[in-house]
Amino acid sequence: MIDKITSFLNKIFGNKSDRDIKEIIPLVESINSHHGDLQVIIKSDNDFISTVKNGDSISINGVCLTAYNVDKDNKCFSVDISNETLDVTTLTQMSTGYNVNIETALSINDKLGGHIVSGHIDCMAQVSAIHEDARSYRLSFVLNNEYYAKYIVKKGSICVDGVSLTVNGDVKDMFFVNIIPFTWDNTIMKYYKVGDMVNIEIDRMALHIEKLIYLGLQFYGYKKRNIKLPNRS
């Protein structure tokens, strides 16, 4: 009975990537263009590829994609990237030999080591500074869309290229994080340079709370007083 419940919940949460650290750093083996969108073949190692099946949700630099043509002998699998995804993420930067953060979807019996993320990118950000801080690194990012700055708060969670991080501080459209040595060594963050673009996913809880408050005011507060609410954007 427990197995059936676990299987059912995994189907519900199967497209939700989570956790905190990418345990391996695979690379792009090849990229094929098909009428504008891309087929990308990812090369991995035995431990990771043994867990992947056709149709699985895989996070690539924080973007939820679907794995197919899983080849366990050659340790690789394919993903398709649509024009829409290319328009709103940094995946256009990928080239052969490019390293990526990778992660399978959260299973209901996995440890929740970070915050839950969906793999749906909200905006991008530019690396504006990288400084060593004892054994760690302090990174600063500037959002390419300041609309999302209001959802980023000190000690809140944010997802950068698929890595769940804690916000150390924020100023206008800029935020700061601290990367510990283990995370630095096991993600593509160690390859970052000032000016690089990264994928950003805002904590979904903040978006849901804002909408609930907005609708509550609209239907139970302002509406009774015939006051028009300002646009949420």
Side-chain angles (χ1 to χ4, degrees), residues 17 48 52 56-60 63-67 77 102-104:
S17 297
F48 184 83
V52 179
D56 280 358
S57 292
I58 301 288
S59 170
I60 305 291
V63 182
C64 182
L65 301 170
T66 301
F77 63 91
I102 192 168
E103 188 173 26
T104 55

Side-chain angles (χ1 to χ4, degrees), residues 12 32 51 64 106 208:
I12 295 176
N32 305 302
T51 67
C64 182
L106 174 69
H208 287 305

Side-chain angles (χ1 to χ4, degrees), residues 13-69:
F13 292 101
N15 64 337
K16 302 293 190 287
S17 297
D18 148 75
R19 307 183 199 90
D20 190 324
I21 299 163
K22 314 300 126 183
E23 296 181 355
I24 55 170
I25 307 180
L27 56 82
V28 174
E29 186 170 71
S30 67
I31 299 176
N32 305 302
S33 179
H34 296 283
H35 307 292
D37 59 13
L38 300 179
Q39 178 201 50
V40 179
I41 299 177
I42 305 292
K43 187 85 168 179
S44 186
D45 65 7
N46 280 327
D47 289 340
F48 184 83
I49 203 68
S50 65
T51 67
V52 179
K53 303 186 300 294
N54 286 322
D56 280 358
S57 292
I58 301 288
S59 170
I60 305 291
N61 287 1
V63 182
C64 182
L65 301 170
T66 301
Y68 68 99
N69 287 348

Side-chain angles (χ1 to χ4, degrees), residues 56-151:
D56 280 358
S57 292
I58 301 288
S59 170
I60 305 291
N61 287 1
V63 182
C64 182
L65 301 170
T66 301
Y68 68 99
N69 287 348
V70 177
D71 186 341
K72 298 185 186 298
D73 292 331
N74 291 312
K75 306 174 189 175
C76 62
F77 63 91
S78 299
V79 295
D80 285 335
I81 306 175
S82 68
N83 284 321
E84 169 65 20
T85 301
L86 291 171
D87 286 343
V88 298
T89 70
T90 65
L91 296 186
T92 52
Q93 299 175 0
M94 291 195 305
S95 58
T96 301
Y98 187 90
N99 292 106
V100 294
N101 287 333
I102 192 168
E103 188 173 26
T104 55
L106 174 69
S107 173
I108 199 65
N109 56 352
D110 285 341
K111 288 184 179 179
L112 189 62
H115 72 290
I116 293 178
V117 297
S118 65
H120 301 147
I121 302 304
D122 293 299
C123 64
M124 291 179 279
Q126 186 176 55
V127 180
S128 59
I130 302 173
H131 298 290
E132 290 189 46
D133 183 6
R135 295 186 306 114
S136 299
Y137 291 84
R138 287 185 290 114
L139 274 62
S140 304
F141 299 92
V142 178
L143 300 174
N144 75 334
N145 186 341
E146 64 181 12
Y147 169 79
Y148 292 99
K150 61 183 178 180
Y151 302 112

Side-chain angles (χ1 to χ4, degrees), residues 185-197:
D185 291 338
N186 289 275
T187 69
I188 63 172
M189 290 183 170
K190 64 184 177 183
Y191 304 125
Y192 284 172
K193 296 180 178 62
V194 172
D196 285 350
M197 298 300 293

